[in-house]
Amino acid sequence: MGVDFDVIVCGGGPAGLVAAVASSRLGASTLLIERYGFLGGMITAGLVRDLRSFHAWGERIIGGIPWSIVQRLADLGGARIPPKHQYMDNPWGSSITIDPELFKHVADLVLLESGVRMLFHTSAVDVVRKGPTVEGVVVENVDGRRTIRSHIVIDATGNGDVAARAGAMYRKGRRPDGKMQPVTLMFEIGSCRPDVSLGRLQTLLRKARKTGELEHYVNPYSAGEELWLVNGKGNNVTRILDIDGTNAADLTAAEIMGRRQAFELLRFMRKYVPGCRKARITKLATQVGIRETRRIVGEYVLTKQDLLTGRNFKDEIARSFFFIDIHNPKGTGVVREYLPAGSVGHIPYRCLLPRKIDNLLVAGRCISGTHEALAMCRVTATCMSVGEAAGVAAALCAKSQLSPRQIDRSEL
């Protein structure tokens, strides 16, 4: 039976949108499926305005399609790229602040210009399989449910939804209890300029937690710094515990609790913080931010040791530069482990290949790795770079009519 497209990409977040562009530019007919009415994933739906890890130790380590999108945003006034001295002096704090609304528009333009076919408001609800081989996906939208066939499918859903439905092995959470990191609802506050020192603000927060005025607030980590710089940025201060992002009931509870925490913090700011009497929430993220769910078990499972030692791989397809960043599933504290000076992490192509499943690639935070390794690799720039590799691999497969395991990895 013939195919409708060479490549289907499921999910239009940082990994998926770049994967679709890479595939189409290499001549593969490409369909991108996205459940929202816009692209960007956590950048736009999650209000993650800071794109991290394009640079390491004073040099840019990620280019290609991801960097071209950043440059286009910057040309339109929608991205602020830090001067080199900032990421030389403080490489861990370097990030590129972007306008999420403009990002939606630029992403549309880039995909249209690249010849990608897009279907918004559409979800992949099942896969078409023949033995171990994925031959397409079943999608559902306002038109109803239908099957779309392709030579290669890329799962860029973040949760590894397509791979899981295809029967791929996966793991979730930390050892030994399987608990996952808390989720966060980002929000933005306006009409508020705290006229108080950072130390005083932190003291007020601690007092309000003890008295119960912040009844549902569970995140002491960096709250003062976040709320002290409130205007024009998302606040990464809410924490919702014991949430499985692959469970609809948990997600429902998380969205409700995220809003509750956000408005509790708003009332606190209005009542106790000088300069914030007229504060208001100007924007809530479309969805809670999920730090981890499924990690597909691939041909290689990336480890913390691989990243912290800067291990090189013959089939490297992306670099990662961030710290091991694990928010305690119990709600208090963050574990951070840093790369040695001058080192970067490397990601092999085998992490994109689910074991025992053919013609399926994964990209984004569902790639194959341990709980600790994915705590470094889940950041935006890394996901975009992995997405580009997945798109290139998919196009090579379609062109040669080979499976992802069979292509020439040196050509990739």
Side-chain angles (χ1 to χ4, degrees):
M1 184 177 293
V3 298
D4 301 296
F5 293 90
D6 293 326
V7 177
I8 297 175
V9 181
C10 301
L17 70 91
V18 175
V21 171
S23 169
S24 188
R25 287 184 180 177
L26 287 178
S29 61
T30 305
L31 172 67
L32 175 65
I33 296 168
E34 168 55 43
R35 62 175 173 153
Y36 290 128
F38 53 85
L39 300 166
M42 281 295 100
I43 297 173
T44 51
L47 288 183
V48 180
R49 296 170 57 108
D50 293 330
L51 309 189
R52 293 182 176 272
S53 302
F54 276 93
H55 298 87
W57 311 113
E59 302 294 334
R60 180 163 51 80
I61 60 168
I62 292 177
I65 295 169
W67 187 247
S68 71
I69 292 173
V70 169
Q71 288 184 307
R72 189 158 182 176
L73 275 167
D75 291 342
L76 295 173
R80 186 170 69 249
I81 301 173
K84 185 171 183 177
H85 71 84
Q86 286 189 11
Y87 50 82
M88 280 289 288
D89 297 340
N90 183 20
W92 302 107
S94 66
S95 62
I96 299 168
T97 303
I98 61 98
D99 176 347
E101 301 307 321
L102 186 57
F103 188 97
K104 295 176 185 177
H105 173 56
V106 168
D108 287 342
L109 295 178
V110 171
L111 267 74
L112 288 170
E113 293 165 3
S114 300
V116 177
R117 172 82 176 274
M118 290 173 276
L119 271 181
F120 290 163
H121 303 290
T122 302
S123 296
V125 296
D126 206 348
V127 298
V128 181
R129 275 186 59 178
K130 185 176 182 180
T133 303
V134 173
E135 296 186 335
V137 294
V138 179
V139 303
E140 189 162 1
N141 54 26
V142 293
D143 301 333
R145 181 173 288 205
R146 67 187 175 106
T147 296
I148 308 176
R149 295 182 178 272
S150 64
H151 184 63
I152 299 293
V153 173
I154 298 175
D155 183 343
T157 61
N159 292 328
D161 292 332
V162 175
R165 289 180 174 89
M169 294 182 290
Y170 62 84
R171 299 189 179 104
K172 293 194 290 187
R174 66 185 182 182
R175 293 183 177 180
D177 58 13
K179 285 188 174 292
M180 290 172 276
Q181 297 184 60
V183 306
T184 293
L185 182 71
M186 299 283 279
F187 64 97
E188 295 181 2
I189 299 178
S191 304
C192 178
R193 294 196 177 277
D195 186 16
V196 63
S197 70
L198 175 58
R200 177 59 178 162
L201 178 57
Q202 291 172 325
T203 299
L204 291 171
L205 277 167
R206 287 193 294 269
K207 182 178 179 180
R209 290 182 69 223
K210 287 181 179 179
T211 61
E213 290 188 85
L214 291 176
E215 178 184 1
H216 301 97
Y217 177 64
V218 296
N219 176 32
Y221 172 72
S222 76
E225 291 91 336
E226 292 281 344
L227 292 172
W228 200 42
L229 302 169
V230 291
N231 288 282
K233 70 186 294 291
N235 283 284
N236 183 15
V237 295
T238 66
R239 285 294 182 278
I240 306 102
L241 309 181
D242 297 319
I243 298 298
D244 182 343
T246 66
N247 180 287
D250 277 10
L251 286 174
T252 301
E255 301 286 2
I256 294 169
M257 178 56 73
R259 288 188 284 271
R260 180 173 290 182
Q261 290 186 17
F263 281 98
E264 277 190 359
L265 285 162
L266 177 66
R267 289 192 292 272
F268 160 80
M269 297 290 282
R270 285 175 169 174
K271 184 174 181 179
Y272 292 109
V273 182
C276 297
R277 299 294 187 264
K278 296 181 179 180
R280 61 191 180 90
I281 289 180
T282 57
K283 186 179 292 186
L284 286 162
T286 302
Q287 70 158 84
V288 290
I290 308 294
R291 291 183 171 85
E292 63 171 324
T293 51
R294 298 186 187 97
R295 306 186 310 274
I296 303 304
V297 179
E299 293 295 315
Y300 186 81
V301 179
L302 193 67
T303 69
K304 177 178 75 172
Q305 289 72 29
D306 291 335
L307 295 168
L308 293 180
T309 59
R311 181 180 177 184
N312 290 297
F313 298 94
K314 291 182 179 180
D315 59 340
E316 175 191 342
I317 45 84
R319 294 178 179 179
S320 180
F321 180 72
F322 201 53
F323 37 81
I324 303 290
D325 181 38
I326 301 176
H327 298 248
N328 188 349
K330 294 183 178 180
T332 55
V334 175
V335 172
R336 286 184 169 180
E337 295 184 63
Y338 293 85
L339 286 162
S343 181
V344 298
H346 304 268
I347 300 173
Y349 174 60
R350 286 165 290 161
C351 290
L352 282 59
L353 303 176
R355 291 182 190 172
K356 300 181 181 179
I357 305 292
D358 290 329
N359 288 10
L360 176 68
L361 292 155
V362 295
R365 65 173 171 82
C366 60
I367 65 171
S368 178
T370 64
H371 169 73
E372 296 82 8
L374 266 295
M376 178 188 291
C377 298
R378 61 182 169 82
V379 294
T380 316
T382 304
C383 287
M384 295 174 81
S385 187
V386 170
E388 182 166 9
V392 171
L396 292 176
C397 291
K399 179 180 179 181
S400 60
Q401 294 297 294
L402 296 175
S403 76
R405 287 180 177 80
Q406 294 172 322
I407 62 171
D408 184 342
R409 299 183 187 187
S410 63
E411 184 182 0
L412 171 66

